[in-house]
Amino acid sequence: MTTANQSIKPVTAKINQDEHIEIGGCDLVSLAEKYGTPLYVFDEETIRTIARQYKTAFSSYPKISMLYASKAFMTKAIVRILDEEGFGFDMVSGGEIYTAHTAGADMKKCLFNGNNKSYDELQMAVELGVGLISVDNFLELALLNNVAKSNNKTIDILLRVTPGIECHTHEYIQTGHLDSKFGFDLTQVDEAIELILEQYDNLNLVGLHAHIGSQIFETSVYYDEVEVLLKEISRIKEKFNIELTHINLGGGLGIKYVEEDCPPSINEIADKIITSVKENAAKYGVQEPEIHIEPGRSIIGTSGVTLYTVGSSKQVPKGKKYVAVDGGMADNPRPSLYQALYTAEVANRPNDKATETVTIAGRFCESGDILIHNAKMPELNEGDILCFYNTGAYGYSMSSNYNRVLKPAAVLVNNSQSDIIIDKESYEHLVSLDRIPDRLKKQL
Ligand code: LLP
């Protein structure tokens, strides 16, 4: 069975009777008219479908917890949907904790993670009752123990470790290899445990946490990751006579951005993980642990598309043809940052045959602001609406106000209804945090 991460388009995408692309029962051309472009559009049914596919895929394993990696895209509405689906949240900042809390997430199901959490953020996590904290380094062990003590609490923690597994993804989004800024090296785990057992009375170590990378297409790396963690748990049991009960495997499952991408299904990943847990728990003589997973991209990526309006074009004599759209690297930095590939279609005439190869350029003042190189498209005219698929993950969440361009709105579509989930910025918002020192104020 295929799962929704294996398709370029959201599950509800189709061509309607006006020969326009429609998602969630909403005509994309009408959405562009109503809300303006650029516009992020999120399909609720795709999010819920994938969330349920995750739950079904792991349903044979009794002790499983799903946390959504908020960094992929977090707003209060997304928290509501995934909270309803039974997910907790993997959070990496005070901002993500605040969003989860104010949107009514079940904080006991949440995890606070990150390589340089501040005292204030740890304090906030402890006060708001975040269920687990993944401790990344020695400084944080001491800080968190102080915070826990001053709140009169004992905090359940995981130790974030680097399992030494390399996967074939972009270097910037690999995290599990040995030379990484994240987590304890396996050779430092004993020292951390000694400190917890001997000095840090307000910390209760329950398990290990790792994340091996993002946009992963191999399933074997998950088998290996589980093995490394269970072997380590067995070693810890032997040496310290404590048995850790949780493993958190991070996120990473890939999605299909372009035809050539062949990510595995959620079921294939789940089967690999469960098989590895059973085989390696037996092999290393430890109990089968509670498994936590933290998918981000594969939950939200496929549900999101971005709409742009085509503006100017330029044919370089004897060179390329550039077609510019009204957004670019500020609403989607992934092409310029990671050479990420995307698929685009013309929302107002998706049936037109591709007749030319063009470079789709953004509007920002940098030559590198190119969204797609060598896109095969029908001849594009000013006013055409382009639909970029798979922009749901790490698009809005990494967006900026570069060139002081306003961040676009995001709408959620479902059953032919569209609702704003993030307002478009206004020029007033844009300058709202600016301050002019008195001595520079213009005398009127
Ligand atoms: N858990 C941990 C500890 C992580 O560091 C990450 C992602 C995830 C879970 C979620 O991984 P996912 O399922 O989304 O692959 N900005 C990059 C991706 C950076 C991912 C960082 N960590 C991009 O746009 O490709």
Side-chain angles (χ1 to χ4, degrees):
M1 196 192 89
T2 59
T3 49
N5 65 308
Q6 296 177 297
S7 147
I8 291 180
K9 301 182 184 182
V11 296
T12 60
K14 62 177 195 197
I15 296 178
N16 64 18
Q17 63 220 32
D18 293 333
E19 297 206 7
H20 292 167
I21 304 175
E22 171 183 305
I23 293 175
C26 296
D27 182 313
L28 296 187
V29 179
S30 309
L31 291 181
E33 270 164 22
K34 180 166 179 191
Y35 299 103
T37 59
L39 181 70
Y40 298 96
V41 180
F42 287 85
D43 180 35
E44 184 170 340
E45 202 170 314
T46 303
I47 305 171
R48 291 192 189 270
T49 301
I50 296 177
R52 287 170 196 176
Q53 286 171 341
Y54 262 104
K55 285 187 279 185
T56 309
F58 281 94
S59 59
S60 71
Y61 194 79
K63 294 178 280 182
I64 175 87
S65 259
M66 314 267 176
L67 295 91
Y68 168 64
S70 311
K71 60 178 83 68
F73 176 60
M74 185 187 221
T75 102
K76 289 182 172 184
I78 298 297
V79 173
R80 290 304 329 124
I81 294 172
L82 289 164
D83 181 61
E84 281 182 12
E85 293 298 334
F87 277 59
F89 296 85
D90 155 38
M91 311 166 305
V92 294
S93 67
E96 290 185 353
I97 296 173
Y98 183 79
T99 309
H101 170 68
T102 52
D106 180 350
M107 299 311 274
K108 286 192 300 301
K109 284 190 192 165
C110 294
L111 169 90
F112 186 27
N113 169 46
N115 72 314
N116 192 21
K117 307 173 186 81
S118 71
Y119 189 91
D120 288 352
E121 288 174 319
L122 290 169
Q123 174 71 28
M124 182 177 182
V126 169
E127 264 175 25
L128 295 179
V130 171
L132 268 175
I133 298 190
S134 175
V135 178
D136 189 275
N137 52 64
F138 289 106
L139 171 67
E140 193 186 324
L141 280 175
L143 280 182
L144 181 60
N145 190 63
N146 283 345
V147 171
K149 192 173 275 169
S150 62
N151 284 270
N152 247 334
K153 286 188 178 167
T154 302
I155 305 296
D156 287 341
I157 63 165
L158 306 176
L159 286 185
R160 171 80 183 258
V161 296
T162 37
I165 292 163
E166 300 217 8
C167 41
H168 301 113
T169 184
H170 193 284
E171 188 190 344
Y172 294 166
I173 52 180
Q174 271 182 12
T175 33
H177 56 306
L178 285 174
D179 188 3
S180 162
K181 73 168 186 173
F182 295 103
F184 293 92
D185 191 89
L186 290 178
T187 57
Q188 298 169 320
V189 166
D190 284 1
E191 191 183 340
I193 295 181
E194 275 156 21
L195 286 166
I196 294 166
L197 295 179
E198 287 160 20
Q199 289 184 33
Y200 297 142
D201 295 342
N202 295 69
L203 304 183
N204 178 36
L205 177 62
V206 299
L208 300 179
H209 180 204
H211 169 76
I212 50 181
S214 201
Q215 186 59 359
I216 294 175
F217 285 1
E218 305 147 282
T219 55
S220 59
V221 288
Y222 285 100
Y223 187 98
D224 298 345
E225 181 187 15
V226 169
E227 173 158 18
V228 171
L229 296 182
L230 292 183
K231 191 173 168 193
E232 188 62 11
I233 286 180
S234 157
R235 198 190 60 75
I236 293 168
K237 182 177 166 189
E238 222 105 298
K239 175 148 185 194
F240 296 98
N241 198 25
I242 49 172
E243 183 148 6
L244 305 186
T245 48
H246 290 53
I247 55 171
N248 181 321
L249 303 172
L253 171 57
I255 62 174
K256 189 177 180 80
Y257 286 99
V258 290
E259 273 312 324
E260 302 80 70
D261 287 342
C262 294
S265 70
I266 294 167
N267 302 316
E268 287 170 271
I269 294 284
D271 288 348
K272 258 297 185 255
I273 291 174
I274 295 169
T275 306
S276 183
V277 165
K278 292 197 179 303
E279 288 180 5
N280 288 303
K283 179 170 168 190
Y284 294 104
V286 293
Q287 56 175 286
E288 290 177 9
E290 178 164 335
I291 307 173
H292 289 204
I293 53 162
E294 299 169 337
R297 187 193 313 271
S298 53
I299 296 281
I300 203 72
T302 316
S303 75
V305 304
T306 305
L307 306 183
Y308 299 107
T309 304
V310 171
S312 62
S313 325
K314 167 182 176 175
Q315 175 67 60
V316 178
K318 298 198 193 110
K320 288 182 188 155
K321 179 169 177 187
Y322 288 89
V323 175
V325 296
D326 54 355
M329 65 189 294
D331 59 80
N332 183 2
R334 299 192 71 258
S336 43
L337 203 53
Y338 313 121
Q339 300 84 46
L341 304 178
Y342 284 87
T343 302
E345 285 185 336
V346 191
N348 48 308
R349 43 194 181 90
N351 288 331
D352 283 12
K353 293 265 165 310
T355 51
E356 50 183 31
T357 301
V358 297
T359 300
I360 303 181
R363 59 156 296 170
F364 295 88
C365 293
E366 266 195 49
S367 313
D369 179 24
I370 301 295
L371 288 171
I372 307 185
H373 294 272
N374 303 321
K376 307 260 184 295
M377 302 301 279
E379 190 178 335
L380 295 173
N381 304 311
E382 186 207 346
D384 278 331
I385 304 295
L386 292 189
C387 168
F388 273 60
Y389 290 104
N390 272 300
T391 58
Y394 305 109
Y396 194 94
S397 70
M398 297 205 300
S399 65
S400 74
N401 286 116
Y402 186 43
N403 293 170
R404 288 235 141 184
V405 170
L406 304 177
K407 287 192 189 176
V411 298
L412 184 70
V413 292
N414 196 27
N415 289 327
S416 308
Q417 198 183 319
S418 64
D419 294 288
I420 289 272
I421 57 169
I422 305 180
D423 274 323
K424 179 178 161 69
E425 279 183 335
S426 64
Y427 290 122
E428 290 74 27
H429 281 135
L430 190 69
V431 295
S432 64
L433 301 176
D434 290 8
R435 300 288 176 265
I436 303 178
D438 283 345
R439 65 194 167 76
L440 296 178
K441 285 204 172 123
K442 186 163 178 180
Q443 304 302 324
L444 296 172

